[in-house]
Amino acid sequence: MSDCVTAPSGSDAKPLLQASGIAKSFGGNRALSGVDLAVPGGEMLALVGANGAGKSTLVKIVCGAMMPDAGTLELGGQTVQFRDVGDAMAAGIAVAHQQVAIIRPLTGAENIMLGREPLRGGLIDRRALAASAQALADRFGVGIDLSLECDGLSLGELKILDILKALATGPRILILDEPTASLTLAETQRLFVFLADLKRRGLGILFISHHMNEVFAQCDRVVVLKDGRKVHDGPIAETTLQAVVRLMVGRAIEETDWTSHATVADATPPVSLAGLRVGPLDVPELTVRRGEVVGIAGVLGAGQTDLLECLAGAAPGRAARRVRLAGLERLPGSVAEALDHGIYLVADDRLRKAVFRGLSVGENMLTGSLAQISHRGFVRSGVAQSTVRDLIARLRVKCSGPHQDMLQLSGGNQQKVVFARWLARIGGAADSAVLLLDNPTEGVDVGSKAELYALIREMARQGAAVLIASAEFSELIALCDRVYCIAHHRIGTCVPRAELSEDRLLLEVN
Amino acid sequence: MSAALSEPSRRKTDLGGLAARYGTVGAAVAIFLVFALASGRFVSAANISNILVQISVLMVISSGLTVAVASGEFDLSVGQIAGLSGVLVAGLMAWSGLPIPVAILLAVIAGMVLGAVSGLLVTRLRIPSLIATLAMGPIALGLNYAYDGGDSIYTEFPKPFYLIATGRIFGVIPVPILIAVVVVVAFSVLVNRTRLGRALVATGANLQAARLSGIDVNRCRLIALTLSAFGAAMGGIMLTARLGTGQPGAGEPYLMDSLTAVFLGMTAFKPGRATVQGTLVGVVIIGMLDNGLNLLGAPFYVQNEVRGVVMIAAVSLAVLRGEIRFF
């Protein structure tokens, strides 16, 4: 590694934390290559980037949850190496994760002092515990009653408590991962007043958020990551929201030979929903015609997953006015019923919901079509083998063979196998299929991504109705005829292809 | 760090992979050789046949348990279900005067009903199988005592019943070995070659992914626990034939041994996965240890200690190589 001691751009003060030349790869995929990051005291630094840009990997390295392949970390001018989170915490780096780590049956004070309870004669000294917790709250001007159990607190209060707990170790650097993800506007504003105060006290804050408006309203400096590289680092005042979004998106999306395969006059579209409610998400209207690829844009966790799983018979939903789904006049009651009607879900969170650990590539491919490859209850091994071989060849799955352990494959190839599971079931033409794709290229490398896009287009060409939810807007733009946008728990605007742009989508979902 | 991330390094060490697959078989061979050298009587046709007869009951019970573990469920009731079916078959013949096949059938059905109840507890009330079957054990024991008052059933059984333990096909192959082979083959075909078996394995590998694949996971888990009880009941009946009496407590030790056999099996062939062929290796190891230590005149308590140590070794190896899901 070259000795690149460039001064942290945008700040004259010596940074509290300086990360230089950080690199990290997973398998063959480079998550980070040569990233520098400087966090000075008294500053709120925004770290932004599209999903998969390397934000979370960088944060994990900085907070000791992961070791970098290359690069150095300096804290207060001294080179440090964190073997685990405890090391980083002891050195003065605290993290408040997106999920609040508050245990609700405990009181606020007990939560703050968890694991560091003051003892007296081997027993917890309740009075000292309450006093130190209160002292911490007073120091940071937090007015929440710490003697109460946390059940009754609002999410915003829990978040502040969570941050207060992180502050109890006396950190110099505070990392906030999507702190406003589940907060209301008022709670968010209160949180920012609190954070501004922390900044005044000299803390260096690293703020990670998808919400560009917050970044521009609250932060001093912004670092943009794109495909594991730092592509921008500068004061907020010197850039614009549009410019940062463009940087996040990176290269202009190459306009390939996109053509719509949508059936123009489809009297009975395979997906036609009205007045559906799934969890907190309202779906006033949603249609997908045969051959059409329709997107759902929304920030992560906006309810897309629940909607798709509900349409696939895997989660309950409440139909209010009208459901027409692949010939069904109601929501499917089970996954099996959905499959019988040609509704196929490629779920998000591959490792948890789609990959069978320890089973082979072939076994993973065939779990969705056991009935199709069996005769009188016995698997026809010839049919099974030829199906698997054909699909491996057709999707160009890189594996040593049908017997290789699924977990040994790269993310992209695993995802191809997951798609293959339904191709095995669909067989030849996909003309009557309804494909529900939930973040279908999460953790997939660029090459496999292009192949999966081609596959999705091909299915649409054959007449399948494709509904795809993605947090990666470039993906929706690359694939979709139309994109519905989720804002405020509601599927609202439907942006036609002619108007699709990342800026537009980002604005619609905020 | 997850296994997926450390993959590239694994390819170089294919020898390591080979050791992982066949290490347990190697251990079985090593144990065989050690006892062969240590005791002149170990490698004789009579003794090997003896070992095989001894392990036949364990093999039948362990095969059923393997199906449960392969589908992600534990069954801690196999010992007590074996015990219950064992006294039932004795009582139905001796006290109720039922013909042998009817008595066997009823005893097997009784065991399977208890397994199905465990399955319902797991799938309907969502009680983890570890706990549902832990509770089913004492219930089976209670039914057992209620039936026989806690005493052994000593009466003379119809002569053909003893053939289950002592008969020989063509005067050569002992019947219990034949039964064990049939059960092993049947369960192995079931798991590897049938639609149901593949669905069971998928359910065990990832419940949620299986559900999203359209597999009726609750049906699979119910069937798996019923099949586990089937194996236990069969084993219990074989045990009664061998002992010549219906003993209320006869099945109990088989829980520990069958669990150990399945865990040992999870270190063989397909690391981290419960397979019938792997369990077979586990059962053979346990059988050789029992028999060999006996021949060497090891004190009885050594056998207990060895059992515990083997269980710990097996589980730690299985966990090292894969994931064992307990809940």
Side-chain angles (χ1 to χ4, degrees):
Chain A
M1 188 181 30
S2 66
D3 198 17
C4 50
V5 201
T6 45
S9 47
S11 172
D12 301 329
K14 191 165 175 55
L16 281 176
L17 173 76
Q18 170 78 54
S20 313
I22 301 292
K24 181 83 188 172
S25 299
F26 300 113
N29 295 338
R30 293 209 122 192
L32 288 175
S33 27
V35 172
D36 300 337
L37 184 76
V39 188
E43 191 180 284
M44 182 129 84
L45 169 65
L47 180 63
V48 300
N51 289 312
K55 295 184 309 260
S56 51
T57 309
L58 184 57
V59 166
K60 279 181 187 154
I61 287 170
V62 169
C63 75
M66 216 179 245
M67 297 276 273
D69 296 340
T72 55
L73 286 177
E74 282 173 49
L75 204 61
Q78 292 207 308
T79 306
V80 287
Q81 260 194 331
F82 301 141
R83 273 158 309 169
D84 54 36
V85 181
D87 272 6
M89 212 184 274
I93 293 180
V95 189
H97 293 283
Q98 188 172 349
Q99 294 290 331
V100 292
I102 292 294
I103 300 165
R104 289 176 186 244
L106 300 186
T107 68
E110 284 168 338
N111 265 297
I112 290 170
M113 303 303 290
L114 196 64
R116 287 172 288 109
E117 294 88 349
L119 299 181
R120 194 165 154 191
L123 299 176
I124 290 176
D125 183 346
R126 292 179 156 279
R127 199 169 296 170
L129 183 143
S132 6
Q134 195 55 51
L136 187 74
D138 291 344
R139 182 142 55 90
F140 292 104
V142 174
I144 301 168
D145 187 347
L146 297 179
S147 66
L148 298 180
E149 286 167 12
C150 297
D151 285 325
L153 298 182
S154 72
L155 268 177
E157 289 171 313
L158 289 176
K159 190 77 217 178
I160 288 180
L161 215 51
D162 200 28
I163 294 173
L164 199 58
K165 184 178 158 190
L167 292 171
T169 53
R172 289 180 284 172
I173 301 279
L174 178 63
I175 301 174
L176 300 172
D177 190 3
E178 295 278 353
T180 61
S182 46
L183 303 190
T184 64
L185 201 59
E187 288 171 341
T188 302
Q189 278 162 355
R190 184 161 169 226
L191 178 69
F192 279 119
V193 172
F194 178 55
L195 292 180
D197 186 51
L198 293 183
K199 204 169 76 177
R200 272 198 297 281
R201 292 161 190 269
L203 240 72
I205 301 178
L206 185 61
F207 184 83
I208 296 140
S209 181
H210 278 297
H211 296 279
M212 288 300 127
N213 305 335
E214 286 174 4
V215 166
F216 274 81
Q218 308 293 341
C219 295
D220 303 294
R221 205 153 57 87
V222 59
V223 166
V224 183
L225 289 185
K226 167 73 185 162
D227 298 333
R229 294 176 186 281
K230 186 164 84 172
V231 293
H232 176 80
D233 187 345
I236 283 286
E238 293 171 17
T239 184
T240 62
L241 198 155
Q242 283 74 18
V244 167
V245 167
R246 212 169 301 130
L247 282 165
M248 281 167 63
V249 178
R251 55 188 157 55
I253 304 305
E254 62 266 45
E255 269 301 317
T256 44
D257 49 344
W258 190 91
T259 44
S260 177
H261 301 296
T263 319
V264 182
D266 198 343
T268 53
V271 181
S272 170
L273 312 169
L276 179 67
R277 196 176 164 83
V278 182
L281 182 68
D282 259 325
V283 187
E285 184 275 336
L286 195 151
T287 3
V288 188
R289 292 174 291 168
R290 278 157 43 82
E292 195 177 29
V293 182
V294 171
I296 302 176
V299 293
L300 280 175
Q304 310 92 317
T305 297
D306 293 331
L307 172 62
L308 293 184
E309 289 188 355
C310 157
L311 297 182
R318 276 205 331 245
R321 283 222 309 281
R322 186 187 76 233
V323 174
R324 276 216 301 272
L325 193 58
L328 278 170
E329 296 284 322
R330 56 184 167 79
L331 293 168
S334 69
V335 179
E337 189 186 13
L339 288 172
D340 287 340
H341 285 82
I343 303 165
Y344 305 96
L345 169 72
V346 171
D348 66 328
D349 201 349
R350 183 168 56 242
L351 282 180
R352 206 161 61 81
K353 295 187 190 166
V355 164
F356 294 92
R357 289 166 179 277
L359 299 200
S360 70
V361 169
E363 288 171 305
N364 265 281
M365 273 187 191
L366 295 174
T367 49
S369 49
L370 292 174
Q372 285 68 31
I373 58 164
S374 301
H375 181 65
R376 298 190 181 182
F378 284 87
V379 173
R380 290 180 293 178
S381 56
V383 176
Q385 279 170 22
S386 65
T387 306
V388 169
R389 274 179 215 292
D390 289 352
L391 285 168
I392 287 177
R394 180 174 159 201
L395 299 189
R396 282 184 282 179
V397 179
K398 281 195 204 82
C399 60
S400 62
H403 299 295
Q404 191 175 8
D405 186 336
M406 177 78 161
L407 278 186
Q408 294 180 355
L409 267 54
S410 74
N413 284 298
Q414 283 180 4
Q415 194 67 351
K416 285 183 185 176
V417 173
V418 172
F419 270 84
R421 183 175 299 154
W422 296 139
L423 293 180
R425 172 110 180 195
I426 293 169
D431 54 344
S432 60
V434 173
L435 284 185
L436 306 170
L437 311 177
D438 194 359
N439 251 335
T441 62
E442 193 181 3
V444 166
D445 59 287
V446 186
S448 304
K449 209 178 250 189
E451 291 178 76
L452 289 176
Y453 288 176
L455 178 68
I456 294 168
R457 286 207 189 96
E458 171 58 21
M459 309 270 280
R461 197 189 61 74
Q462 293 174 3
V466 184
L467 184 59
I468 170 170
S470 180
E472 249 180 276
F473 296 152
S474 58
E475 178 159 297
L476 297 177
I477 293 171
L479 289 169
C480 296
D481 290 81
R482 295 178 289 134
V483 175
Y484 288 95
C485 299
I486 304 180
H488 310 293
H489 304 303
R490 189 167 184 280
I491 287 194
T493 328
C494 180
V495 184
R497 178 157 188 92
E499 296 170 26
L500 279 181
S501 72
E502 301 221 12
D503 313 32
R504 172 76 190 275
L505 292 180
L506 211 51
L507 290 175
E508 290 286 351
V509 302
N510 261 302
Chain B
M1 201 121 305
S2 81
L5 304 184
S6 60
E7 268 335 307
S9 61
R10 186 170 292 185
R11 228 171 245 174
K12 287 178 224 156
T13 56
D14 233 340
L15 265 180
L18 221 60
R21 276 162 184 273
Y22 299 105
T24 310
V25 180
V29 173
I31 292 169
F32 180 84
L33 291 177
V34 166
F35 281 129
L37 292 174
S39 162
R41 283 175 297 165
F42 189 74
V43 195
S44 63
N47 189 52
I48 288 175
S49 167
N50 188 18
I51 293 178
L52 291 177
V53 170
Q54 276 175 1
I55 64 175
S56 57
V57 173
L58 180 58
M59 192 59 227
V60 170
I61 296 177
S62 304
S63 296
L65 182 63
T66 305
V67 175
V69 175
S71 55
E73 305 302 330
F74 271 83
D75 188 348
L76 301 184
S77 62
V78 286
Q80 300 298 5
I81 287 181
L84 176 64
S85 293
V87 296
L88 272 181
V89 77
L92 290 173
M93 288 184 300
W95 297 341
S96 312
L98 291 175
I100 301 170
V102 178
I104 290 176
L105 190 68
L106 289 178
V108 169
I109 288 174
M112 289 174 78
V113 166
L114 291 190
V117 171
S118 295
L120 289 174
L121 293 175
V122 170
T123 54
R124 302 283 164 224
L125 300 186
R126 300 211 220 150
I127 300 173
S129 56
L130 196 71
I131 292 164
T133 58
L134 181 66
M136 194 50 69
I139 291 174
L141 185 65
L143 293 172
N144 180 332
Y145 287 160
Y147 184 68
D148 52 36
D151 298 324
S152 297
I153 301 170
Y154 272 115
T155 339
E156 188 83 355
F157 302 131
K159 281 280 172 293
F161 183 70
Y162 295 105
L163 291 179
I164 293 174
T166 57
R168 280 172 184 268
I169 303 289
F170 311 125
V172 193
I173 309 160
V175 172
I177 296 179
L178 187 75
I179 296 175
V181 169
V182 168
V183 169
V184 166
V185 170
F187 274 106
S188 175
V189 167
L190 173 86
V191 171
N192 293 310
R193 291 291 160 89
T194 67
R195 183 180 159 192
L196 172 67
R198 303 322 295 162
L200 288 176
V201 171
T203 303
N206 187 338
L207 187 73
Q208 196 167 7
R211 199 172 67 89
L212 291 175
S213 293
I215 291 169
D216 188 342
V217 291
N218 281 343
R219 177 171 163 268
C220 284
R221 298 158 89 195
L222 177 64
I223 291 175
L225 285 169
T226 310
L227 285 175
S228 177
F230 167 79
M234 287 281 289
I237 291 163
M238 290 166 72
L239 195 56
T240 296
R242 188 164 92 205
L243 298 172
T245 57
Q247 292 183 13
E252 206 173 336
Y254 283 90
L255 170 61
M256 176 74 182
D257 280 356
S258 58
L259 276 175
T260 307
V262 173
F263 291 151
L264 274 171
M266 289 174 81
T267 66
F269 303 125
K270 292 178 178 171
R273 287 172 66 175
T275 58
V276 179
Q277 62 271 35
T279 300
L280 178 61
V281 176
V283 169
V284 168
I285 288 179
I286 294 172
M288 287 194 302
L289 284 174
D290 266 2
N291 178 276
L293 290 173
N294 255 333
L295 288 183
L296 293 180
F300 68 96
Y301 52 81
V302 170
Q303 298 206 10
N304 282 325
E305 288 156 1
V306 166
R307 274 187 159 73
V309 170
V310 169
M311 175 110 160
I312 290 167
V315 173
S316 60
L317 280 173
V319 173
L320 264 182
R321 292 173 191 176
E323 240 176 71
I324 297 189
R325 189 161 63 91
F326 279 87
F327 281 98

